[in-house]
Amino acid sequence: MATNELAAGEAERFRAFERGRHDMLTASYDDFFTPVTMQAVAPLLAAAGVKQGAALLEVACGTAAVAAAAQAQGAKASATDLSPNMVALGKKRHPGIDIRAADVEHQPYPDGAFDAVVCSFGFGHFPYPERAAAECTRVLKRGGRFALAWWAPPDKMRFQGLFREAIGEIGAKPPPEVPANNGMLRFTDAGELRRLLEGAGLQDVRIEEIAATHRVADVETLWRGGLGSFAVTGSAVLAQDTATQARIREAFARRAAAYRTADGLTIPFAFRVASGRKP
């Protein structure tokens, strides 16, 4: 068993938590946070070497924005997600893409079915990331590339950083369904990303860090948007009593004020795209 693996019961609680939270957050996540994650689409597809006619799979697809972009470039795209509500919205948005509900560790496709596999900001949410990487490699053809995006540390990824620092200041704890050794912060370490891909048997591993910004109207929009988008971080706020939530909100607003501009708030964030080739 890998050092970072969760115990079976803990893993299943975390999986159920992730499915339930993303089912609940589908619409609000798509409205607020998909425009942020979309900035990873072009680098992901480039890292995966997606070409016209290529068969591509997007895992943990949410509403399948990356798969849709690949299909627009001439690829034949498929997608899977753990959340039935995310899958339903993805099908509504992109009726020409085969989108299925599936756990990332058990993809409904044969060995070597795809020229490229991509995952946009999913790996920190998986109870068994090593198994997930192995499954992504299994369905990849020899010579194909797997590419994933995950966030840089919170001091660079300020959407998460603002919430985490405010939660830490007040001392609020996450709900018991969220294991302490989840991968949210683990994969902000570039070395962990490299070990994950190399451990799955991939070669020619490359890691690129990308910085960007996103404008938000005001602190209230950022607060509500984050609570409606971040399954793990938002739950740490919403699990508290009303008074504690208010204290977190005050600490959050104080930090967010540093990013105020004439047009609202300009929030900096950064992410990494890691990729490898199946020999």
Side-chain angles (χ1 to χ4, degrees):
M1 178 178 287
T3 302
N4 291 286
E5 278 203 348
L6 304 176
E10 194 174 34
E12 291 313 309
R13 285 194 300 274
F14 188 40
R15 196 191 315 275
F17 166 84
E18 287 282 352
R19 181 189 293 110
R21 288 290 290 158
H22 283 97
D23 268 349
M24 183 182 301
L25 300 176
T26 296
S28 54
Y29 179 99
D30 194 58
D31 287 343
F32 178 77
F33 209 55
T34 292
V36 178
T37 62
M38 284 292 290
Q39 297 204 43
V41 170
L44 262 177
L45 295 181
V50 176
K51 300 176 181 177
Q52 186 165 0
L56 172 136
L57 173 65
E58 181 185 6
V59 302
C61 69
T63 57
V66 181
Q71 189 138 303
Q73 293 180 15
K76 179 177 173 55
S78 302
T80 63
D81 196 272
L82 181 67
S83 161
N85 285 356
M86 287 284 191
V87 169
L89 183 55
K91 286 181 175 181
K92 182 178 179 180
R93 291 271 176 81
H94 312 295
I97 297 176
D98 175 23
I99 307 175
R100 308 183 191 182
D103 172 17
V104 67
E105 299 159 27
H106 302 96
Q107 293 299 304
Y109 302 104
D111 295 358
F114 297 97
D115 299 295
V117 179
V118 296
C119 182
S120 179
F121 304 108
F123 263 78
H125 296 279
F126 301 155
Y128 295 128
E130 282 79 14
R131 299 184 195 183
E135 181 70 349
C136 291
T137 302
R138 179 188 68 79
V139 300
L140 191 61
K141 293 178 182 178
R142 292 188 179 278
R145 292 192 71 84
F146 169 51
L148 69 90
W150 190 251
W151 305 112
D155 63 335
K156 294 182 178 180
M157 199 304 183
R158 297 307 294 151
F159 284 96
Q160 285 280 357
L162 290 168
F163 276 92
R164 286 182 172 271
E165 290 162 13
I167 291 166
E169 177 181 325
I170 304 306
K173 303 298 182 184
E177 297 88 352
V178 178
N181 57 334
N182 67 76
M184 297 292 291
L185 293 179
R186 175 187 169 191
F187 293 114
T188 64
D189 182 334
E192 286 290 331
L193 289 175
R194 179 173 294 279
R195 282 187 283 275
L196 178 73
L197 297 189
E198 291 178 346
L202 298 170
Q203 298 179 355
D204 185 26
V205 173
R206 306 170 189 173
I207 300 175
E208 176 187 13
E209 184 169 317
I210 299 163
T213 61
H214 184 73
R215 190 180 70 80
V216 178
D218 50 37
V219 170
E220 184 64 15
T221 301
L222 181 60
W223 172 255
R224 291 187 179 277
L227 293 182
S229 300
F230 306 147
V232 172
T233 308
S235 70
V237 177
L238 297 172
Q240 311 305 316
D241 59 45
T242 302
T244 303
Q245 288 189 35
R247 292 170 61 210
I248 297 171
R249 170 69 169 77
E250 182 181 352
F252 174 87
R254 189 170 64 250
R255 288 169 167 79
Y259 301 105
R260 186 172 288 121
T261 67
D263 297 322
L265 302 177
T266 299
I267 309 299
F269 66 97
F271 59 92
R272 296 189 180 106
V273 173
S275 65
R277 175 179 50 83
K278 183 176 180 177

